[in-house]
Every structure is written in structure tokens, then in C-alpha cells.
Amino acid sequence: MRKLGPQVLSAIGRQEWLDRPSYRLEHMLSFVYNALGGARNTVANALNGVWLGHPAHPPLASLTSGALGTTVALDALSLLPGRPATEVLDASRFASRSLGLGILASVGSAVTGVTDWQHTHEEDRRVGLVHGVINLVATGLYAASWWDRRRGRHGRGIAFTALGYGITLAGSYLGGALVFESGIGIDQSGARLRTKEWTPVLPASSLNGKPVRVEVDGVGLVVCQTKPGEVSAFGEFCPHLAAPMADGWVDRGRIVCPWHGSWFEAESGDVLRGPAAAPLPCYQARLVDGMVEVRGDGQGAPLDGAVGIGRGGAK
């Protein structure tokens, strides 16, 4: 099994024919989001998990798995021989309720998952597409099971749930590979600066309106001028998929990711627009005698005033 899983992932990743339908799906999603007009960012941020500080898809996927696992367990309990009729009836009733919850959570998981998926590329995009299709098939089986149970066909409903759960487990393996092997949904902003002392990094005259990469104690940062006489310092990688923020730009007090267009608040690093969900690490920065100086959070080091743009420590 340890060899089979990677072989399956590798085989899916090589299926370039999946690119055409995947990009058509992405274009359709873009059309739907753009049709929301002024509400686009609000809806997309909610689905990306900006309000949580991390993607909304994983907790919904966990809720789905928990509810469906409960359904399978209650179904098994109802099938045990020698159980009193009242216990069998209770198990069947609660199984139907947990199944309904699992279906609702699965729909929410699908909507948030496809929102995250549209910003993936190449092998990850192909694996993610197959992951989504597998879970869609499983959700169809759960819906059929729920319908059969409502019509009194409990045996067939139990069979559909068991089959769907087996398919869900296969899809979960693909989802786990995207998270733990490719880092999809994980904060990829990199190492944090912990230096307590103010450190000169470059002359203010070197700033030309774009983020400039510097390095302090082996940790990469980007420094930029956000307003006349004010500077900011941030982590060098976007938390979403590690885009180099030195290739980004400053737009009306926002730091913009060069790859997928995430917006970060220049004063705090907070996310203003996804797909990033975690904030951009933000450091203290100031101008002293024409030099830009920065320092990290010092793991709880006290602040001493004279701080320019860039509140608090790394997030």
C-alpha cells in the first residue's frame, strides 16, 4: 500500500488531458464569481477562509467525514443480531440524521474546496480535480441513500452509504496528499524573523515604489514604502503558495501577491482579499537617518516606540 498510493498519485499527475476540462471549470467559476459584482470579494473571502485565518475547506471536510463515519457506525449497530427493536429503530433514525448532516457538510466542503482548487497548477490541479470528482460521486450515493431511507428502503440505503464511504476514503487520500505533500492550504510564508535589535537593511533611496527583498539573520524579508516617509516590512513569501512577494506591488495601501492577486493590509499584513487565508508576516520597520531598519517580534520583545508602518511582530 505504501507503494501503491504514490504510484496512483504519480499516474494522475501525468494525465495532461485533464487540463482542458479543469481550465474550463476554472473559467466557469471565474464567471460565477465575477457575476457577483461588488459582493465577489466578500463571498470569495468567506469561502477561502479569510475569516478563520486558514482555509475553510479542511474543517468542513472533517465535519463531513465525522458525520458520515457516525452514519456508518450507526448502520452497523442497527444490523447487529439480537438487538432490541427500539435500539434498531433509534440507530436507524439517528443514522439518517447524521447522514443528512454529512450531505450538507459535503456540499459546503465541495464549494470551499473548488474555490481553493482553482488556484492550483499542473499535477496538483489534476489530482485535485480527480479528488473532487470522486467526492462528488460519493455525495451522489449519500443523497440516494438518504432518499431510500426516507422511503423505507433501509437496506439499500445502508448499502449506498457504505459504498459512498469507501469512495470517500479514497478521495480523502488524494486530498491528504495535496495538503501534506504539496502544501495546498498550508501557510507557506516561510521562516519568521525573531531578531530583537533594530537592523539597518538598505538606504531609503533604494526603494522605488516596489517591494525590495532583503535578508536579516538568514531570513528573507521584503521592504517597501507605502506612504511618503513610511515603510513596511513583510515576509518574503505569500502564505498561499509561497509566491515571491518581491515580485508583487503596492496598491493604495495594499501589498498585492504577484501570482494569484491576494491583497494584504500594508499596516498589519492582514488579508483583504484571498485566495490567501493566513496573514502575511509583518515586522516593525522605521526610517533612521535615511536608512530603513527592521526587527522581528523577538518572541515577545517589548516595543520601544519610534516605529513606522508595520504593527506588532510576525503573525
Side-chain angles (χ1 to χ4, degrees):
M1 290 298 296
R2 287 183 300 180
K3 294 182 179 180
L4 179 61
Q7 289 173 352
V8 171
L9 286 170
S10 178
I12 295 174
R14 293 194 301 268
Q15 304 307 306
E16 296 183 2
W17 63 272
L18 292 172
D19 292 345
R20 177 173 292 183
S22 71
Y23 282 109
R24 286 180 176 175
L25 176 58
E26 180 191 358
H27 294 158
M28 183 181 70
L29 291 172
S30 298
F31 176 81
V32 171
Y33 287 130
N34 291 334
L36 297 174
R40 180 194 183 282
N41 287 350
T42 301
V43 174
N45 284 352
L47 296 177
N48 285 135
V50 172
W51 55 284
L52 277 176
H54 61 75
H57 176 67
L60 283 172
S62 297
L63 176 60
T64 302
S65 298
L68 296 173
T70 299
T71 303
V72 172
L74 290 171
D75 284 342
L77 181 63
S78 70
L79 294 175
L80 290 176
R83 309 296 298 181
T86 53
E87 290 188 10
V88 173
L89 182 60
D90 288 342
S92 297
R93 183 169 66 252
F94 285 115
S96 295
R97 291 177 180 175
S98 63
L99 176 61
L101 175 61
I103 292 171
L104 292 176
S106 182
V107 172
S109 179
V111 173
T112 55
V114 76
T115 303
D116 294 339
W117 165 86
Q118 67 176 325
H119 301 291
T120 57
H121 305 280
E122 298 180 344
E123 289 85 355
D124 292 337
R125 172 175 286 259
R126 297 161 195 158
V127 172
L129 181 64
V130 174
H131 166 72
V133 170
I134 287 175
N135 284 317
L136 185 63
V137 171
T139 302
L141 289 170
Y142 297 138
S145 172
W146 185 85
W147 181 260
D148 281 338
R149 292 167 193 258
R150 296 279 294 179
R151 295 295 178 270
R153 298 188 288 266
H154 293 286
R156 193 163 77 171
I158 289 173
F160 278 151
T161 296
L163 178 59
Y165 195 65
I167 294 174
T168 293
L169 293 178
S172 297
Y173 177 84
L174 298 181
L178 289 173
V179 173
F180 296 110
E181 294 185 15
S182 299
I184 305 299
I186 295 176
D187 185 342
Q188 298 193 44
S189 54
R192 302 298 200 259
L193 179 65
R194 304 299 186 188
T195 303
K196 298 180 182 180
E197 295 78 19
W198 287 104
T199 304
V201 291
L202 81 169
S205 58
S206 300
L207 300 176
N208 57 1
K210 293 189 61 178
V212 177
R213 184 187 185 278
V214 298
E215 192 169 304
V216 179
D217 288 347
V219 177
L221 312 175
V222 291
V223 178
C224 58
Q225 183 172 354
T226 53
K227 296 178 182 178
E230 295 182 341
V231 290
S232 297
F234 298 95
E236 69 169 324
F237 296 118
C238 177
H240 179 228
L241 287 177
M245 295 304 293
D247 292 339
W249 57 92
V250 181
D251 177 28
R252 291 169 291 178
R254 302 174 301 205
I255 311 300
V256 183
C257 171
W259 286 2
H260 302 111
S262 294
W263 295 350
F264 301 94
E265 171 60 51
E267 295 186 358
S268 63
D270 291 338
V271 182
L272 299 177
R273 187 178 82 173
L280 185 65
C282 179
Y283 303 103
Q284 299 168 61
R286 68 182 183 183
L287 292 172
V288 178
D289 297 329
M291 289 292 295
V292 178
E293 296 184 350
V294 301
R295 72 173 180 180
D297 61 3
Q299 302 187 53
L303 305 183
D304 63 2
V307 179
I309 291 297
R311 319 181 297 199
K315 298 192 175 183

